[in-house]
Amino acid sequence: MKIKNQNTLPSKYVLLILVIVCGILLGAERFMDGGGPLSWVANYTIVPMQKGISYVGTWMSDLTDNFATLSDLRKENEQLQERVDQLTIDNTRLNQEQYELERLQELYKLDQNYGDYEKVGAHVIANNGTNWFNSFTIDKGSEDGIRKDMNVLAGSGLAGIVTEVGPNYAQVRAVIDDESNISGMVLSTSDLCIVRGDLTLMEDGRIRFENLPNNDNEIQVGEQVVTSHISSTYLQGLFIGYISEINVDSNNLTRSGYITPAVDFSNLQEVLVITTTKEDLTQTDEAENGGE
Amino acid sequence: MKRKIITACFIIVCFLLQATVFSKLQFASIRPNLMIILTSAFGFMRGRKTGMAVGFSCGLLMDVFWGGVLGFYTLIFTVIGYLNGSFKRLFFDEDIKLPLGLIAGSELAYGLIVYVCFFMMQGDFRFGYYLIHVIMPELVYTILVTIVLYQIILHVNRKLEAEEQRSASRFV
């Protein structure tokens, strides 16, 4: 900021200096993790303001929700009650199968349980302001134990991955972002595919999948896609979405198509961050294997 | 000093609005670009140095919160602020054509640079699609917002200038 005060310096030199500063910043990014001191400054200036605005916004949308009529609520309550009954029945059945699975896993000595990851809840306080990328800021950071590469869920599905962490905030890249690339797996057949965000599909809220082998396994529209076991950053078995369209590629070897994500990205308010990263899991595995 | 504080307030308020409120005011998942309006407007109103300073701050904020690489937006916005500052000689308060033209030009340049750096470099050559679905809608929406926001900036700038002239004449 000192440069700005020297009014005698011609502006083209100031431009030159600032361009060099930018060049240094671009270069330094390779060696620095995240924004460094800048993210610390941002944490205590911008983030509290964003939190304030987002809380006011939530409060106002809650207020409008209060105007929903009683009859609507009754109807919804009836529907939900029906759903609870249905889910209770399903749950009993699944529990039985779970016991069976556990017993069989014990027999096979497969004791890894992928379902129970520890999670931390967080609020979405801001979105990406550009039209090119789809990321959002959450109100938890390294002081709450958030680290880079942690997976983020919203509702039942995968929402994104933590890309940058400040003391009290973190950036999450959404699954539908153009730079997002996930190794996925079709749940019913265990066939692997690549799930890739695409800016051209962001408007429709869809994502592409490709490189699904064109084998004998028949895959229908509406089947579930989860994260695969070979992904290096995403934990296994997180629900991505349902297949909405599937086509055989012109090379006849692979199939591709579209997925409707399980998360509604247009209205994201609360998310869950899984506090275990894939790296943690693979490292503990290696340590165990090394000990044997 | 007062001017600097007010400029900083403008930047922060616009940044916050863009990240929170305007994500609810999207048309066809497109939001306007307030940062380019600020950088451009302060550039042709106050000259190259102010343009650069505002561009630098806007870019830095965007890099920290929205960008993957630190320094990318900073570089673009600094240069945009500088180039807009070169048009200070042609700028008159009453004329709205030059501001609109400059802001539209800056917005177009920004869109093209982002496309080339983040999409074309990755082998994504669907330029026509991005032009029609992202760059042009953003341009139109930004210009619509400009008509409102620019009046505010202009008004504040006039008041500040009048105040500065008064205090300057007091010394003489």
Side-chain angles (χ1 to χ4, degrees), chain B residues 60-132:
Chain B
L60 209 56
L61 273 178
M62 290 174 73
D63 272 327
V64 170
F65 280 101
W66 306 335
V69 202
L70 197 67
F72 177 76
Y73 289 121
T74 319
L75 185 60
I76 296 179
F77 277 72
T78 310
V79 175
I80 286 178
Y82 178 82
L83 292 180
N84 276 291
S86 312
F87 288 89
K88 191 184 176 233
R89 279 178 298 136
L90 301 175
F91 168 72
F92 298 102
D93 274 10
E94 295 79 19
D95 184 24
I96 189 122
K97 291 192 293 297
L98 178 80
L100 282 185
L102 281 178
I103 290 172
S106 312
E107 170 66 46
L108 195 64
Y110 158 80
L112 291 178
I113 292 170
V114 173
Y115 164 72
V116 169
C117 292
F118 283 114
F119 292 83
M120 202 175 86
M121 293 289 195
Q122 292 182 352
D124 193 342
F125 291 102
R126 292 170 294 182
F127 176 64
Y129 181 91
Y130 293 120
L131 185 71
I132 293 166

Side-chain angles (χ1 to χ4, degrees), chain A residues 9 127-129 131 171 200, chain B residues 18-19 31 49 65 68 129 138:
Chain A
L9 203 64
N127 293 82
N128 192 314
N131 292 315
Q171 294 284 12
T200 58
Chain B
Q18 174 130 13
R31 72 193 86 195
K49 279 183 185 166
F65 280 101
Y129 181 91
E138 188 180 317

